[in-house]
Amino acid sequence: MGEEEKVAELYKDYWDYMIEKNIDGLRNLMASEYCLYHMTGVKQSAHEFLSGLKNGTFNYYSAIHDDIIVSIRGDEATMTGKSRVVAAVYGGGKGSWRLRGDFTLKKDNGSWKFTSSKASTY
């Protein structure tokens, strides 16, 4: 498996872990400096985001991946994933969204780790 395919698999794992509320799995995918930029403009650290996932602020039910594009330059990568997601967040009802995630990654001791992600729609 090439490096691009490895990074694309991490995106799929990311969504699987969010649906499963697998906090340890997600934490292992994230670099210590990871931050998430919600489409609302809110910036959260990994700890804040994972706490919200654990306490039910963020609930993800399914994700169907339409497109994953990876670009690697040495030990850094960018990835754009487009997925149709069913979720309920911030106390709202369950809904469907076409979410785009723009991610940055770095290779750390031979493993790719997410350093940031920015959510939007497509």
Side-chain angles (χ1 to χ4, degrees):
M1 179 183 301
E3 293 300 299
E4 287 86 0
E5 290 83 8
K6 288 179 186 176
V7 170
E9 286 300 311
L10 290 179
Y11 177 76
K12 294 174 187 175
D13 291 344
Y14 181 87
W15 279 105
D16 288 344
Y17 292 162
M18 287 202 305
I19 292 164
E20 298 163 5
K21 292 189 180 278
N22 182 340
I23 305 303
D24 291 334
L26 280 166
R27 189 175 287 115
N28 287 331
L29 296 179
M30 298 172 176
S32 60
E33 70 271 21
Y34 175 85
C35 61
L36 167 67
Y37 299 88
H38 291 272
M39 53 187 153
T40 61
V42 172
K43 178 184 174 183
Q44 286 187 313
S45 67
H47 175 75
E48 291 168 326
F49 175 68
L50 294 173
S51 293
L53 186 65
K54 188 175 182 177
N55 71 23
T57 300
F58 307 113
N59 299 286
Y60 300 95
Y61 302 100
S62 66
I64 298 169
H65 310 301
D66 290 332
D67 197 21
I68 305 169
I69 299 170
V70 177
S71 177
I72 295 176
R73 289 191 178 152
D75 287 342
E76 296 182 351
T78 58
M79 178 187 59
T80 298
K82 294 180 179 177
S83 302
R84 288 171 281 146
V85 175
V86 175
V89 298
Y90 294 113
K94 190 187 281 189
S96 298
W97 289 274
R98 296 167 66 91
L99 295 182
R100 172 183 167 150
D102 291 300
F103 292 80
T104 59
L105 302 94
K106 70 176 181 180
K107 201 168 199 181
D108 185 24
N109 292 323
S111 296
W112 288 103
K113 301 283 185 180
F114 292 113
T115 55
S116 73
S117 61
K118 183 177 181 183
S120 60
T121 58
Y122 68 101

